[in-house]
Amino acid sequence: MTATATRVLVLNSGSSSVKYQLLDMKPDSAGGSAAGTRLAVGLVERIGEETSRLAHTPLATGGDKRETEGPIADHEAALKAVAAELSADGLGLDSPQLAAIGHRVVHGGLKFTAPTVIDDAVLKEIERLVPVAPLHNPANITGIRTAQALRPDLPQVAVFDTAFHTTMPEYAARYAIDVATADAHRIRRYGFHGTSHAYVSRKTAELLGKDPSEVNVIVLHLGNGASASAVAGGRCVDTSMGLTPLEGLVMGTRSGDIDPAVTFHLKRVAGMSEDDVDVLLNKKSGLVGLCGDNDMREIRRRIDEGDERARLAFDIYIHRLKKYIGAYTAVLGRVDAVAFTAGVGENAAPVRAAAVAGLEEMGLAVDADLNAVRSGEPRLISPEYARVAVAVVPTDEELEIAQQTYALVNA
Ligand code: ADP
């Protein structure tokens, strides 16, 4: 890497999509920490279909968003199309200013506790984890291989969704099932959204003017997927997602916690197949299963019109959230802050208000005026008298991946 190489391309490869951001990690002029200026952002969707779509915004040049539609056969073609878009703005992947490519990798198992420079052995290990992440890791591997083929000389770094959770104590990570069976099949709670939980817990400490090692935070990452984590002094001690991202909170389309016997029942009594149950719990449950909508904006609109199904879906969502706030308060012993993040957490004031309503005895309260403020900045929404700070902290997984990637290749 040359001294002028300060750019990082962040790739988040899904099964039929690639999200990307090109960031410049040059320290700011004041000599502070890496700035993480966004040069370009974009998304390729519906890869493999006739109607693939690429949306690219060249932020560096201040240019408008460019959208192109037409078949993009596979990830290789997608990344080549992205490279062409970047080149058009003078930001091509062949630039000597590109320091590394950072890949979001969903499952890192127990082995990957930190970002890792990818070599053959690392790729093999990510591949070995496919049985526990069948939907995600294959797409991540394809993204890595494609990027390697485009720039074989460049460091490629894997940043794992599970890494932040590898500090969970054994009693929080292990399911209470037969140990031999669990170990033979690597069944345990891994947790996901780790990059976000790490970023948001650190930012929350910053908001409180403290070092992360001094604060205990409950992070509520409420997007379409949703998870909670208990972070003690900067280390994750519990999280709501488990072997897969299905466990825990009520999500847009996933059930979250459920009696596992429901699955036997569906097979034995309702005659559903393994795949039917999988689709039911992952795609047709949660808010969408309860009321037909998974967008919180639409659910709130329906509630305002008096829709009972939407109201019940909202109440179930909130009830689960409250249970996790209570549980993680007990796990942490002392809570300094509860931080809301991701699409719902950052934008849905009624969700934040309802989640802490009635929890005054636990030191939790939300100030209605502060909660109503719309802003992209980290902010406190609790009244001054409250013992526990309640915060809204916008997440930035791409920035976190870029920072971790850049730090690793500069180490
Ligand atoms: P993911 O990354 O998991 O796909 P996001 O974190 O982007 O999801 O969150 C998407 C969700 O955020 C949407 O499904 C919607 O429910 C919610 N959301 C986004 N904007 C708003 C808003 N202004 N008010 C309420 N909810 C919102």
Side-chain angles (χ1 to χ4, degrees):
M1 198 182 67
T2 63
T4 53
T6 54
R7 292 180 189 161
V8 175
L9 178 69
V10 175
L11 289 181
N12 182 351
S13 307
S15 54
S16 66
S17 70
V18 177
K19 283 189 212 152
Y20 62 93
Q21 290 197 359
L22 181 69
L23 296 99
D24 196 333
M25 307 309 291
K26 224 190 318 252
D28 56 34
S29 48
S33 57
T37 311
R38 278 177 179 78
L39 303 175
V41 302
L43 166 71
V44 190
E45 289 175 293
R46 299 195 289 270
I47 296 171
E49 293 178 34
E50 286 302 308
T51 57
S52 315
R53 181 175 156 269
L54 195 165
H56 176 87
T57 309
L59 300 168
T61 59
D64 289 335
K65 187 183 203 176
R66 300 195 290 267
E67 296 191 52
T68 37
E69 257 197 60
I72 295 179
D74 51 27
H75 280 73
E76 189 182 338
L79 210 53
K80 282 192 174 146
V82 171
E85 288 292 346
L86 289 167
S87 286
D89 302 310
L91 300 167
L93 296 190
D94 50 355
S95 163
Q97 281 171 275
L98 191 60
I101 300 181
H103 297 266
R104 175 187 183 215
V105 178
V106 168
H107 217 309
L110 286 180
K111 204 165 199 168
F112 297 116
T113 58
T116 306
V117 176
I118 301 166
D119 59 16
D120 285 348
V122 169
L123 251 184
K124 247 197 203 116
E125 183 61 24
I126 298 172
E127 224 154 29
R128 212 174 67 85
L129 289 161
V130 166
V132 284
L135 298 179
H136 295 103
N137 274 27
N140 300 153
I141 292 165
T142 307
I144 292 167
R145 289 230 164 89
T146 311
Q148 282 178 329
L150 278 181
R151 277 298 303 268
D153 56 313
L154 205 64
Q156 312 260 341
V157 173
V159 178
F160 299 94
D161 254 27
T162 46
F164 185 60
H165 304 303
T166 55
T167 52
M168 275 196 289
E170 195 65 5
Y171 54 74
R174 215 172 242 289
Y175 291 110
I177 64 171
D178 172 63
V179 170
T181 307
D183 288 352
H185 301 286
R186 283 177 289 169
I187 296 169
R188 59 188 285 118
R189 309 187 55 256
Y190 293 98
F192 299 90
H193 291 145
T195 308
S196 176
H197 287 284
Y199 178 83
V200 170
S201 56
R202 222 178 45 237
K203 279 272 162 195
T204 306
E206 213 173 273
L207 184 65
L208 300 181
K210 299 217 164 122
D211 189 79
S213 64
E214 299 171 314
V215 297
N216 290 349
V217 188
I218 297 174
V219 178
L220 302 171
H221 176 111
L222 311 177
N224 209 8
S227 63
S229 69
V231 183
R235 289 165 67 84
C236 177
V237 293
D238 207 349
T239 194
S240 60
M241 283 179 168
L243 173 74
T244 77
L246 182 54
E247 193 179 345
L249 299 173
V250 175
M251 310 182 209
T253 66
R254 293 177 221 148
S255 63
D257 294 335
I258 193 167
D259 180 346
V262 170
T263 60
F264 325 144
H265 187 81
L266 288 170
K267 283 193 258 176
R268 289 180 190 140
V269 178
M272 290 173 75
S273 70
E274 202 72 44
D275 287 347
D276 292 340
V277 177
D278 193 328
V279 169
L280 177 81
L281 297 181
N282 274 301
K283 302 256 162 75
K284 297 184 180 172
S285 296
L287 293 170
V288 94
L290 289 165
C291 74
D293 273 309
N294 62 342
D295 193 310
M296 195 50 83
R297 285 163 287 203
E298 185 57 18
I299 291 171
R300 288 304 310 175
R301 197 192 56 73
R302 284 172 55 185
I303 291 172
D304 290 343
E305 286 177 354
D307 186 318
E308 287 301 322
R309 270 181 74 203
R311 174 88 248 168
L312 180 60
F314 184 83
D315 289 348
I316 293 169
Y317 183 93
I318 296 296
H319 182 65
R320 185 82 51 85
L321 254 184
K322 273 200 165 130
K323 291 211 285 192
Y324 271 92
I325 294 172
Y328 287 174
T329 299
V331 165
L332 289 168
R334 186 202 81 228
V335 180
D336 299 297
V338 173
F340 287 89
T341 194
V344 175
E346 290 167 30
N347 296 298
V351 168
R352 300 191 295 253
V356 304
L359 303 185
E360 293 80 7
E361 285 289 321
M362 288 164 57
L364 283 159
V366 157
D367 178 283
D369 291 337
L370 294 175
N371 192 30
V373 172
R374 296 194 64 83
S375 153
E377 294 299 312
R379 59 201 184 271
L380 291 176
I381 56 168
S382 42
E384 218 141 281
Y385 64 80
R387 195 157 33 85
V388 179
V390 181
V392 181
V393 180
T395 192
D396 196 336
E397 288 164 281
E398 288 77 16
L399 177 61
E400 177 74 12
I401 291 172
Q403 281 174 342
Q404 293 194 11
T405 298
Y406 191 65
L408 186 63
V409 298
N410 276 301

